């Protein structure tokens, strides 16, 4: 007789379950109870967990992964723009959302889309007063209110980490505004495991193809880019960027800095080093994009406990364009992912949607192409998948309870039509997402929900 109290609410069995822990544990079945992983093992091992009230799902060879975590995804903007993307073209200019109903509808639409892709967590990188008068309406304080309201109603279909923004998206910011914002930031939320305010997003510079990344060398036209923070001259702007990083660190806020040029990256690392020397804290500040990160900076990132969120698809899309910005002898900046992986830096993969489609499967394929042929294909796949699950959980300060399928962690799961190991990274875009679970509850089922394809 099975003790019902000891049995699972849900068992998925007869496929390949990837725990995505460092040891790359796999099983044929997974059991879930009260929204958490109970066990992963063979079908036989899980048999005793099946009681009269257990829902049993036959996987028939399908694969199960931890839910995908996109560490840099503008859901509010994505929900308003989809099926258009910035790089895909056709995106309308001007305001996208202007009313509470529209803002909330955009977030719900994004939630639906992300659930259909198996994405159960994401970081919304930059919402706040800096964009209250912004053209799109997708990044202002009212979006933060919309998030709070949807969270209160239990309508968020993914776990959200949000970064506050006190300047413009991809634009200028005033030191005074950021400092005032940091001082008055209220980051407590009622259900931080579902909706959490992580810290602050700062736009350091632009992007290399536009010659707006702040660099040590020079572009073809002799310019070297500029920081986006205010200041009468270069030295003042550098000092101001350091000041806001220091202030956020002392306020206990995680700082994510959009930093693409090598000069911006060095400045950010330097500022974090100084802040950590004054007050050591496990805040996990990170670089966003990090296009021109040099291999020599990698050990410093590792030493300071800093991360980076990278978009292989953007690198692939803008590679030639970026190369044209630099003198021929310099060439395009090398993508730092291999160095970061080898250097033990908690670098995550992400889409930056709606710049690109939020489809992580194409991002895995793009990252694999950038890395070149793999000596050990299975280890490569494990590495890439972890940068979309376990490593972003670290960025969220949540590795103790999400990001892998180790027992006790939340049962955020994605069921795929084929095993990633069988298709390899290049075959991932052809693998279907069949079902998504958030905390053990189905939030997407392909058999019942048609999904709008991207443009
Ligand atoms: Zn972005």
């Amino acid at each position: 007789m099975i003790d019902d109290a000891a049995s699972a609410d849900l068992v998925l069995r007869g496929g390949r379950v990837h725990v995505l822990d460092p040891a790359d544990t796999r099983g044929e079945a997974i059991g879930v109870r009260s929204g958490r992983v109970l066990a992963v093992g063979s079908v036989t091992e899980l048999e005793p967990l099946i009681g009269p009230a257990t829902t049993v799902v036959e996987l028939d060879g399908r694969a199960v992964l931890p839910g995908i975590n996109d560490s840099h995804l503008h859901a509010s903007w994505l929900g308003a723009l989809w099926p258009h993307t910035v790089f895909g073209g056709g995106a309308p200019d001007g305001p996208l959302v202007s009313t509470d109903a529209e803002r909330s509808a955009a977030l719900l639409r994004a939630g639906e889309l992300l659930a259909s892709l198996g994405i159960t967590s994401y970081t919304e990188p930059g919402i706040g007063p800096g964009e209250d008068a912004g053209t799109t309406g997708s990044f202002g304080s009212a979006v933060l209110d919309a998030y709070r309201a949807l969270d209160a109603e239990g309508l968020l279909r993914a776990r959200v980490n949000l970064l506050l923004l006190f300047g413009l998206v991809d634009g200028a910011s005033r030191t005074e505004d950021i400092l005032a914002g940091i001082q008055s930031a209220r980051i407590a939320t009622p259900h931080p495991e579902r909706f959490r305010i992580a810290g602050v997003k700062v736009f350091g510079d632009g992007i290399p193809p536009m010659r707006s990344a702040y660099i040590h060398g020079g572009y073809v036209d002799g310019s070297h880019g500029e920081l986006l923070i205010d200041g009468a001259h270069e030295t003042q702007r550098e000092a101001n960027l350091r000041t806001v990083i220091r202030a956020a660190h002392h306020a206990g806020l995680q700082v994510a800095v959009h930093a693409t040029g090598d000069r911006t990256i060095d400045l950010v690392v330097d500022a974090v080093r100084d802040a950590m020397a004054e007050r050591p804290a496990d805040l996990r500040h990170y670089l966003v994009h990090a296009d021109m990160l040099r291999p020599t900076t990698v050990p410093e990132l590792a030493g300071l406990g800093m991360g980076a969120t990278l978009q292989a698809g953007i690198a692939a899309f803008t590679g030639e364009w970026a190369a044209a910005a630099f003198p021929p002898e310099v060439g395009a900046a090398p993508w730092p992912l291999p160095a970061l992986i080898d250097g033990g830096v908690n670098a995550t993969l992400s889409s930056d949607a709606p710049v690109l489609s939020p489809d992580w499967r194409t991002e895995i394929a793009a990252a694999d192409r950038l890395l070149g042929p793999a000596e050990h294909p299975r280890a490569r796949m494990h590495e890439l998948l972890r940068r979309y699950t376990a490593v972003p959980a670290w960025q969220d300060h949540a590795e103790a309870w999400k990001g892998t399928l180790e027992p006790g962690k939340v049962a955020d799961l994605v069921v795929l039509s084929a095993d990633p190991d069988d298709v390899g990274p290049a075959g991932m875009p052809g693998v279907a997402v069949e079902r998504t679970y958030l905390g053990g509850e189905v939030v997407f089922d392909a058999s019942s929900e048609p999904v709008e394809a991207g443009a």
Side-chain angles (χ1 to χ4, degrees), residues 112-118 157 433-438 441-451:
E112 214 172 291
L113 171 65
L114 299 177
S116 79
L117 291 168
R157 271 165 107 174
V433 172
E434 302 211 335
R435 198 176 278 189
T436 307
Y437 292 89
L438 183 68
E441 303 291 331
V442 176
V443 289
F444 169 74
D445 186 347
S447 63
S448 59
E449 275 183 79
V451 181

Side-chain angles (χ1 to χ4, degrees), residues 99-124:
T99 65
D100 286 348
E102 286 170 353
R103 284 182 282 270
S104 162
L107 293 179
L108 289 172
R109 191 153 178 252
E112 214 172 291
L113 171 65
L114 299 177
S116 79
L117 291 168
I119 295 169
T120 55
S121 290
Y122 64 84
T123 289
E124 173 75 76

Side-chain angles (χ1 to χ4, degrees), residues 59-430:
L59 291 169
D60 292 324
R62 292 175 180 82
V64 177
L65 302 181
I68 301 300
N69 184 343
D70 193 319
S71 60
H72 187 94
L73 179 147
H74 305 270
S76 161
W77 187 21
L78 172 67
L81 214 52
W82 192 255
H84 298 295
T85 59
V86 175
F87 284 178
D93 286 329
L96 296 170
V97 288
S98 353
T99 65
D100 286 348
E102 286 170 353
R103 284 182 282 270
S104 162
L107 293 179
L108 289 172
R109 191 153 178 252
E112 214 172 291
L113 171 65
L114 299 177
S116 79
L117 291 168
I119 295 169
T120 55
S121 290
Y122 64 84
T123 289
E124 173 75 76
I127 297 290
E131 276 279 338
D132 281 354
T135 39
T136 60
S138 292
F139 311 99
S141 312
V143 175
L144 182 52
D145 297 337
Y147 264 116
R148 288 190 198 276
L150 291 177
D151 175 45
E153 291 175 77
L155 292 175
L156 293 176
R157 271 165 107 174
R159 304 181 193 277
V160 181
N161 274 264
L162 183 141
L163 297 169
L164 298 169
L165 179 70
F166 302 107
L168 289 172
V169 168
D170 287 320
S173 40
R174 280 158 33 101
T175 309
E176 200 186 321
D177 294 344
I178 306 178
L179 294 177
I182 288 168
Q183 294 322 319
S184 63
R186 291 178 301 115
I187 63 164
T189 55
H191 322 103
E193 74 289 356
R194 285 295 177 105
F195 178 61
R196 171 175 174 262
I197 298 177
V200 55
K201 168 76 176 288
V202 177
F203 279 88
D205 60 2
I207 57 170
M210 299 294 287
R211 302 175 203 169
S212 55
Y214 188 50
I215 62 175
H216 288 297
Y219 294 109
V220 275
D221 60 3
S223 66
H224 60 256
E226 212 174 83
L227 293 175
L228 288 169
I229 200 159
D230 62 351
H233 47 77
E234 213 150 71
T235 316
Q236 183 70 61
R237 287 190 286 273
E238 291 197 357
N240 285 347
L241 183 57
R242 298 175 73 105
T243 299
V244 301
I245 291 171
R246 178 175 184 267
H249 179 85
H250 282 265
L253 298 172
Q254 186 178 35
V255 190
V257 186
H258 171 118
T260 66
D262 50 6
R263 197 164 174 182
T264 311
I265 292 167
D266 288 351
L267 195 62
V268 173
V269 170
D270 223 52
V272 170
R273 189 189 303 105
D274 288 353
M276 289 285 277
E278 284 178 344
R279 184 189 296 181
D282 182 22
L283 292 171
R284 308 179 186 183
H285 306 310
Y286 61 96
L287 302 167
V288 178
H289 309 309
D291 302 44
M292 293 176 69
L293 180 75
R294 291 173 301 178
T296 47
T297 312
V298 169
E300 300 192 59
L301 290 179
L304 291 167
M306 290 180 70
T309 172
L310 313 172
Q311 299 79 30
I314 294 182
F317 192 91
T318 61
E320 280 180 38
W321 184 21
F326 295 95
E329 70 275 14
V330 177
W335 187 256
L337 187 55
L340 289 162
I341 290 175
D342 294 344
V345 173
N346 284 315
T348 60
L349 292 172
S350 65
S351 68
D352 202 7
V355 173
L356 292 174
S357 151
D359 193 336
W360 58 277
R361 296 163 298 186
T362 53
E363 188 67 18
I364 294 272
D368 182 66
R369 281 195 298 276
L370 286 169
L371 285 166
E375 204 180 324
H376 304 289
R378 228 172 88 159
R380 165 72 63 84
M381 180 58 92
H382 179 244
E383 190 66 66
L384 294 176
L385 290 174
R386 274 179 57 82
R387 282 164 205 282
Y388 252 119
T389 52
V391 185
W394 173 88
Q395 181 181 294
D396 297 345
H397 289 260
E399 74 278 14
W401 59 270
K402 73 173 184 183
T404 73
L405 299 182
E406 292 163 290
K409 293 197 181 178
V410 288
D412 296 352
L413 316 173
V414 53
V415 179
L416 300 175
S417 62
D419 187 356
D421 283 340
D422 294 341
V423 300
M428 283 308 289

